[in-house]
Amino acid sequence: MVSSVFKNPKWPTAKTQTTGLTNGSSQKPMLVLANSTIGKCLGRGTDVFKKMLTSHDKPVCSALYHSIFKQVVSVCQNGVVTVWDVLSGQATMQFKVTLDQHVGLTAISFDESQRRLITMSQDGKVRLWNFNSGTELAVLPVTVPRQVTGIVCINNRMFVAGRKSKTIFDLDMEGHDHRFLEHDHLDDITSLDVHENTLITASSNGNIIIWDADTAEKPKRLIDTKNPQHKKSTTVKTTDSTNGYIYAWSVISKGGLLGKFRAVKDEGAVVTTMSTDNIKGWLVSLCPPPLLGSWKAHLTGVVSVVCDPTCSHIITAGLDNNVRLW
């Protein structure tokens, strides 16, 4: 499978007073800089220099795909957001969403209309941006957890969950009607998703809580992962646990566990994401589905995987500072 890497068009710059020397070789253009020490910078036209280019200067935190503009938006640990054109692979906009000295995780998401970018960094601030101009539009008057694990938007409200927290922030995108959701069966909330008018939350203790996204006063249902029901349904939620298995659950009131299979073979591997989908004709089976394909996407850990609406392309982001299109 062939991939392309979104490459940041940067090159080394000298910050000390230097004397320029030229290289006599015409095959490998380079710049030699000297003061008290001598440094050699590869010329921009060399193949070696091009291979050294990465998407970001720091490990990537997350990447999003914008289905309308056909753009990828990524952010790295120094808080720099880059907007990429999928067709050309070139960066069209770059701006910083954190303080100058910030190094750490930054969570991003689009609002429901995909017109604004939401960012949350370790200062706990929720910021809204015009990602085509890099203009900050608003800062919500709330403080969220330092490490956000999930952001979803529905009906002009934003739901936010964080690591080592059982509180879900239910934020008003247009006003000040902010609410906070808690449940005794929630522990460390690992992921959020929405299906139609329901909010679905998954906890590290294996519990899954389904809420009404409008009222959010009482949970609609608790999925008991320890004593599951086995029933068929046309609406399925897929989630995971720390043992490397993927579970398929029905989100309707009388649904239950529809199937499960081990997704990874490595001992100690953990799946940490959740998504919802409509699956018609799903049959309960004890046999795992066939693996369609797998490949090593990055030299280090993968932190984000998204698909375009037709699932013809996959965008991955990794701790190796790169964003890749497959």
Side-chain angles (χ1 to χ4, degrees):
M1 181 177 291
V2 179
S3 73
S4 59
V5 182
F6 298 125
K7 300 231 174 170
N8 198 359
K10 54 184 178 290
W11 54 90
T13 57
K15 295 185 178 180
T16 56
Q17 184 176 359
T18 61
T19 300
L21 304 175
T22 58
N23 176 35
S25 172
S26 60
Q27 296 179 349
K28 295 183 179 179
M30 63 183 66
L31 175 66
V32 179
L33 306 175
N35 51 8
S36 59
T37 59
I38 296 179
K40 182 173 68 173
C41 300
L42 292 171
R44 292 189 64 194
T46 63
D47 293 337
V48 175
F49 177 80
K50 292 179 180 179
K51 291 180 179 179
M52 292 174 60
L53 288 176
T54 56
S55 305
H56 287 270
D57 292 329
K58 294 290 184 180
V60 183
C61 299
S62 182
L64 306 172
Y65 180 77
H66 199 288
S67 58
I68 301 175
F69 297 148
K70 292 182 172 56
Q71 292 175 327
V72 172
V73 179
S74 59
V75 64
C76 65
Q77 290 185 8
N78 62 3
V80 174
V81 170
T82 305
V83 182
W84 309 88
D85 181 87
V86 171
L87 300 179
S88 66
Q90 300 298 312
T92 61
M93 173 58 61
Q94 191 172 78
F95 57 97
K96 192 170 177 63
V97 298
T98 59
L99 300 176
D100 290 339
Q101 303 302 320
H102 170 86
V103 176
L105 296 179
T106 296
I108 58 175
S109 178
F110 294 128
D111 66 358
E112 194 172 3
S113 66
Q114 291 194 319
R115 294 180 180 177
R116 296 173 294 182
L117 180 70
I118 304 166
T119 68
M120 301 179 192
S121 57
Q122 293 187 320
D123 62 359
K125 299 298 183 182
V126 180
R127 293 179 169 87
L128 305 179
W129 303 82
N130 180 327
F131 56 90
N132 285 316
S133 65
T135 303
E136 184 180 276
L137 302 176
V139 180
L140 299 188
V142 293
T143 301
V144 297
R146 290 169 55 89
Q147 295 187 26
V148 172
T149 57
I151 309 171
V152 293
C153 299
I154 183 174
N155 301 335
N156 290 323
R157 302 196 69 86
M158 180 195 316
F159 296 91
V160 182
R163 194 177 306 279
K164 297 181 180 179
S165 173
K166 61 165 50 180
T167 301
I168 302 170
F169 291 75
D170 179 4
L171 307 179
D172 185 357
M173 296 280 288
E174 306 298 335
H176 299 279
D177 182 23
H178 304 310
R179 301 178 294 205
F180 305 93
L181 312 178
E182 288 188 352
H183 193 280
D184 292 339
H185 289 84
L186 287 178
D187 188 5
D188 181 16
I189 302 172
T190 57
S191 57
L192 301 176
D193 205 352
V194 291
H195 177 73
E196 295 178 348
N197 203 42
T198 59
L199 170 69
I200 304 166
T201 61
S203 177
S204 61
N205 59 12
N207 290 326
I208 301 167
I209 310 296
I210 301 175
W211 312 74
D212 186 300
D214 286 332
T215 62
E217 295 177 356
K218 294 182 180 179
K220 293 179 64 175
R221 183 164 170 250
L222 163 68
I223 294 181
D224 186 354
T225 58
K226 298 179 179 61
N227 300 290
Q229 298 170 305
H230 294 268
K231 295 188 177 181
K232 294 177 185 180
S233 172
T234 59
T235 303
V236 173
K237 183 180 80 65
T238 59
T239 184
D240 62 88
S241 67
T242 56
N243 58 9
Y245 279 85
I246 289 182
Y247 294 81
W249 299 94
S250 168
V251 298
I252 64 174
S253 59
K254 295 182 180 180
L257 178 64
L258 302 179
K260 73 172 186 177
F261 59 93
R262 186 169 178 81
V264 290
K265 297 180 180 179
D266 296 340
E267 291 296 330
V270 178
V271 183
T272 58
T273 58
M274 172 183 68
S275 65
T276 63
D277 199 357
N278 289 327
I279 303 177
K280 295 183 179 180
W282 178 278
L283 298 177
V284 177
S285 174
L286 298 178
C287 299
L291 178 64
L292 300 180
S294 65
W295 64 93
K296 188 175 181 64
H298 294 266
L299 297 177
T300 56
V302 178
V303 297
S304 181
V305 180
V306 292
C307 295
D308 62 12
T310 63
C311 289
S312 58
H313 293 94
I314 298 175
I315 298 97
T316 63
L319 295 176
D320 58 359
N321 303 13
N322 282 318
V323 180
R324 296 179 182 270
L325 178 70
W326 302 87

